[in-house]
Amino acid sequence: MSKPAQMNPPPTAADAIEDEVQEALAICGSDAIAALRITLIANAFLEAEIDRLSAAVSSGFARGKVREAPTSKETKEKTTH
């Protein structure tokens, strides 16, 4: 009997994060401070974009059936308290 072929497990969230970290370091020439800086800048931009898009969504469309999503600032305040 032959051994069954080993299947590679699906990537986990930790694997995805590790890949992103390695990519950021590669972009920044292995400078961890620069990689952190670009990550923080990108995160701030994306949070501002979420807030802008959330404000642009018509609340009349939901007709009161969907509660308003919290802004990224409100979410941060809840997690820090």
Side-chain angles (χ1 to χ4, degrees):
M1 277 191 172
S2 63
K3 291 172 87 177
Q6 289 187 349
M7 295 178 63
N8 291 334
T12 64
D15 294 333
I17 290 171
E18 181 62 27
D19 291 345
E20 295 293 331
V21 168
Q22 293 305 318
E23 183 178 349
L25 285 170
I27 290 170
C28 295
S30 296
D31 182 349
I33 299 294
L36 178 59
R37 185 176 293 117
I38 65 167
T39 301
L40 292 172
I41 291 168
N43 190 55
F45 168 79
L46 292 173
E47 286 181 349
E49 192 67 4
I50 288 169
D51 290 343
R52 184 186 70 77
L53 292 172
S54 294
V57 172
S58 170
S59 59
F61 181 75
R63 301 189 193 283
K65 296 179 182 176
V66 179
R67 66 180 175 85
E68 187 176 316
T71 64
S72 58
K73 183 178 179 182
E74 291 169 341
T75 304
K76 279 184 186 176
E77 288 173 356
K78 286 183 182 177
T79 59
T80 58
H81 289 104

